[in-house]
Amino acid sequence: AKKTIQDLLFLAILVKENLLKFDSPMINWYSEISSETTVQHVLSHTTGYKRTGWNQKIEEYQSRESLLKQLALSQQNKPGHEYDYHNVAYSRIEEVMIASLQQTFKDSLETKLFHPLAMREVMVGDLDFNQQPNVAWPHKQNKKGIMQPCKNYSRAYHRSVSSAGGLSANITDMAIFLQLQLGARPDILEVQDLLPF
C-alpha cells in the first residue's frame, strides 16, 4: 500500500473534481487491454494479468516502453476476479494521470497533491533521487544481527515504474501525507472520497 497510496489519493482528487471516474474503462488509454478493465481494477491489482517474471524484467532495467509492450502481448484473464500484486500492470495508471491533466506524471502529482499539501521534499523517479545529496537507504540485519545499509538496493523501480515504487520523501512530508489519509485535510480530500477502496 505504501507504494501506491499516492496514486490512489491523486485519482480520488480527480474523481472529486469530476475529471475522472473510478469505473472509467482503461481501454480509453490502452487499446489492447480488455474493455472490462477499469481504473479501479488497476488500482486494486485485479487486472487479470499474472506476475510471471515482471519484477526480474524491472530489475534488469528494461525500459518502461518495453515493459508495457510486453504486457500488451500477455494473457489477461477476466478483470476483477483475482488479486495479484503487479507492478507493471499497476504502472499503467501513469497514463491516466498524464491524460487527465495533460501534464507529466511528476507534474500531475505536484499540481494536485504535493504542492497543495506543501510537501517540499518529494522525489519522483530516478533522476530526482540520484540528485539528492542526503538520502537514507533501507537497512537489513547482517549475520551478527547488526543493521547495515543495503549495498545493492535497487533503483530500477524509480526508473521504469515510478508509480509502483519510485517515490521517496522525508519524514516531514510523510507526516503531512499521513494527515491527508486520516482526513485532516478535507479542503483537499475527505475520507468518504476513498470509499471505493
Side-chain angles (χ1 to χ4, degrees), residues 1-6 85:
K2 179 179 75 171
K3 293 181 178 180
T4 60
I5 191 68
Q6 77 279 343
Y85 193 96

Side-chain angles (χ1 to χ4, degrees), residues 61-114:
Y61 287 92
Q62 291 191 23
S63 71
R64 176 174 176 74
E65 293 75 19
S66 173
L67 292 168
L68 291 180
K69 282 180 184 176
Q70 292 173 67
L71 185 66
L73 298 173
S74 299
Q75 179 184 349
Q76 182 185 11
N77 297 327
K78 187 171 176 64
H81 288 273
E82 288 183 44
Y83 172 87
D84 198 343
Y85 193 96
H86 194 313
N87 289 305
V88 176
Y90 181 87
S91 76
R92 285 184 155 180
I93 208 65
E94 292 178 33
E95 272 62 37
V96 175
M97 295 178 174
I98 291 166
S100 296
L101 290 179
Q102 296 297 302
Q103 294 179 321
T104 66
F105 171 63
K106 176 183 175 181
D107 288 345
S108 296
L109 285 171
E110 288 177 350
T111 298
K112 290 292 182 181
L113 201 56
F114 303 147

Side-chain angles (χ1 to χ4, degrees), residues 138-150:
H139 285 58
K140 66 179 181 180
Q141 281 186 339
N142 64 16
K143 292 178 182 178
K144 296 180 181 178
I146 299 170
M147 298 299 289
Q148 292 184 320
C150 298

Side-chain angles (χ1 to χ4, degrees), residues 8-17 112-113 188-189:
L8 169 58
L9 295 175
F10 171 84
L11 291 163
I13 291 168
L14 295 185
V15 169
K16 183 177 182 178
E17 295 178 359
K112 290 292 182 181
L113 201 56
I188 296 174
L189 202 61

Side-chain angles (χ1 to χ4, degrees), residues 132-178:
Q132 292 299 315
N134 183 17
V135 296
W137 290 97
H139 285 58
K140 66 179 181 180
Q141 281 186 339
N142 64 16
K143 292 178 182 178
K144 296 180 181 178
I146 299 170
M147 298 299 289
Q148 292 184 320
C150 298
K151 292 181 180 178
N152 58 350
Y153 181 68
S154 173
R155 298 184 189 191
Y157 289 83
H158 287 79
R159 184 169 297 173
S160 58
V161 288
S162 290
S163 58
L167 276 71
S168 305
N170 65 19
I171 193 66
T172 303
D173 281 353
M174 291 305 295
I176 294 169
F177 194 56
L178 180 59

